[in-house]
Amino acid sequence: MKTDAEKAIQPILSYSFTVEKGKIKEFVQSIGDSLPIYYEEEEANKAGYKGIPIPPTFATVVDFWGGLDFETLMKALKLNPLKVLHGEQEYQYFAQIYAGDPLDVTAKVLKQIEKKNMRMFVIETEYARVGEKVLVARSTIIETK
């Protein structure tokens, strides 16, 4: 039988994804963000960016189109999607990510906790650009029984 420490860190999935200008535009349109830095490179340069930057929660788009969508996550963790809640989400940026950046992404279960009628999984996803860590996202997934 595995100890809690052994159950704690489990790899889920690794994949590569290149950030597309069109996906940034689709995302900001869907959330109603009209900042010109997300639409025109010239506007982004005027604001001090090297290119079109991604908005803060864009990592969700990277996961969805890169391979770690909701269905894949449910299968990997062997969860019933009808009993799952999204408990928490946080992003820690180490560098700005731009349209055209190639990202290598690795997701793992950082911690698994069982309480009464719930199982909680803390998922950590690391995004690296050419070997440089640029973003870490952490989320908590809760399955009720």
Side-chain angles (χ1 to χ4, degrees):
M1 182 172 188
K2 290 183 176 181
T3 65
D4 287 343
E6 290 171 327
K7 287 194 293 186
I9 298 178
Q10 306 166 18
I12 299 174
L13 182 69
S14 294
Y15 62 90
S16 296
F17 182 86
T18 299
V19 177
E20 299 172 23
K21 183 177 164 180
K23 289 292 178 206
I24 295 172
K25 184 177 179 180
E26 287 174 3
F27 182 76
V28 294
Q29 285 177 332
S30 72
I31 62 172
D33 194 328
S34 60
L35 274 176
I37 62 169
Y38 297 126
Y39 296 90
E40 298 293 331
E41 190 156 343
E42 186 178 333
E43 293 297 323
N45 293 151
K46 283 182 193 173
Y49 294 99
K50 296 179 191 172
I52 296 176
I54 66 168
T57 58
F58 187 78
T60 302
V61 174
V62 174
D63 290 341
F64 183 82
W65 290 103
L68 192 57
D69 57 53
F70 181 75
E71 187 175 324
T72 301
L73 184 60
M74 293 303 101
K75 286 181 182 174
L77 299 178
K78 299 177 181 156
L79 299 176
N80 180 346
L82 300 176
K83 296 185 174 196
V84 168
L85 304 168
H86 186 189
E88 184 176 0
Q89 183 76 47
E90 68 179 63
Y91 301 100
Q92 182 178 13
Y93 279 85
F94 298 92
Q96 182 61 55
I97 300 171
Y98 297 101
D101 282 354
L103 299 175
D104 292 316
V105 182
T106 303
K108 63 187 173 192
V109 175
L110 203 57
K111 190 176 358 175
Q112 181 180 340
I113 303 163
E114 294 199 30
K115 288 185 176 181
K116 294 186 180 179
N117 296 329
M118 295 187 294
R119 288 195 305 162
M120 293 183 274
F121 297 84
V122 177
I123 311 295
E124 182 176 274
T125 306
E126 183 175 307
Y127 306 79
R129 176 183 50 217
V130 194
E132 173 196 14
K133 181 169 55 175
V134 290
L135 169 64
V136 172
R138 291 180 196 87
S139 63
T140 302
I141 306 295
I142 302 166
E143 181 188 44
T144 59
K145 294 182 181 178

